[in-house]
Amino acid sequence: MVKCKKVKEGKNMNLSIDIEDYKLNIRAGGLIIHNNKILAHKNINKDHYCIPGGRIELGENSETTIKREIQEELGKDIDILKYSSTIENFFYMNEKKYHELYFLYRVEFKNEEDKKIEYTMHNIEGKDYLQYEWLDIDKIDEYNILPECLKDMLKKDNMPTHVINEEI
């Protein structure tokens, strides 16, 4: 059985579908890097970091998704600099198997003052449990950043690339 959930009435559907014992997610993320640090978000109730972004909506392309997500989460406009990678990500979370297609872009804030930000930022959507921190790329192995294959990609500046990350 295939189910596609609506997030809110009147909004587009996220590309997150339950298929048998899997959840299929199609996501986009934005790699914001300056001063050899990458912006990552962390749910303060969890033990890992992720790249800012979110699920692509039906009829929306991945570039539009990352622009929308950064605007919704941080209230910041971004420019897409280049395509970075596609990660086919297979993992378990909350006792469920996930198959995720994850499109990553190198992006930067449009506003010159925003490009100077080095402090921890907070989610503006009311998700008080999310904070956005700058992680030192030279120390990336010290962080639990998911998917884990991002660590090697960032250290080696190995982009664009296509990665299959299988944790199942």
Side-chain angles (χ1 to χ4, degrees):
M1 177 194 252
V2 175
K3 295 185 226 170
C4 194
K5 295 184 206 173
K6 269 193 178 181
V7 177
K8 294 180 183 171
E9 284 303 316
K11 285 225 171 200
N12 289 335
M13 285 190 226
N14 286 335
L15 295 181
S16 182
I17 303 165
D18 291 310
I19 304 172
E20 295 180 12
D21 61 341
Y22 275 91
K23 180 175 278 292
L24 172 64
N25 279 334
I26 304 177
R27 300 176 57 85
L31 300 167
I32 302 173
I33 299 171
H34 71 82
N35 293 334
N36 203 44
K37 294 182 181 178
I38 185 162
L39 186 64
H41 79 258
K42 183 177 189 318
N43 178 331
I44 61 173
N45 302 309
K46 307 270 180 168
D47 69 345
H48 64 273
Y49 292 88
C50 295
I51 299 303
R55 290 183 187 95
I56 296 172
E57 293 181 351
L58 192 62
E60 180 179 60
N61 68 58
S62 57
E63 288 186 2
T64 300
T65 297
I66 192 55
K67 288 178 179 180
R68 174 183 52 78
E69 287 287 345
I70 297 291
Q71 180 55 236
E72 289 173 358
E73 294 175 14
L74 295 172
K76 307 289 185 195
D77 292 322
I78 60 166
D79 286 318
I80 305 282
L81 301 179
K82 66 179 181 176
Y83 163 80
S84 292
S85 63
T86 299
I87 300 173
E88 293 182 57
N89 198 15
F90 298 86
F91 61 96
Y92 281 105
M93 187 171 69
N94 301 327
E95 300 180 21
K96 183 140 185 108
K97 289 191 278 187
Y98 281 75
H99 180 166
E100 182 175 81
L101 300 177
Y102 192 23
F103 299 93
L104 288 170
Y105 292 89
R106 179 74 167 81
V107 304
E108 70 179 6
F109 293 129
K110 277 188 177 190
N111 181 291
E112 289 302 318
E113 288 303 308
D114 290 341
K115 291 178 186 179
K116 298 174 187 173
I117 294 173
E118 293 193 16
Y119 53 83
T120 297
M121 293 183 281
H122 298 279
N123 183 283
I124 65 167
E125 296 175 288
K127 297 177 182 174
D128 296 335
Y129 55 88
L130 282 181
Q131 59 187 29
Y132 301 77
E133 300 175 26
W134 295 96
L135 309 181
D136 188 333
I137 293 173
D138 290 336
K139 297 178 182 176
I140 202 71
D141 286 326
E142 297 176 16
Y143 302 101
N144 183 14
I145 190 165
L146 299 176
E148 182 132 346
C149 60
L150 279 172
K151 290 179 181 183
D152 282 337
M153 293 165 57
L154 290 167
K155 287 187 295 188
K156 296 175 184 173
D157 195 18
N158 188 18
M159 298 179 212
T161 190
H162 173 217
V163 176
I164 298 175
N165 183 60
E166 295 194 64
E167 296 176 20
I168 291 180

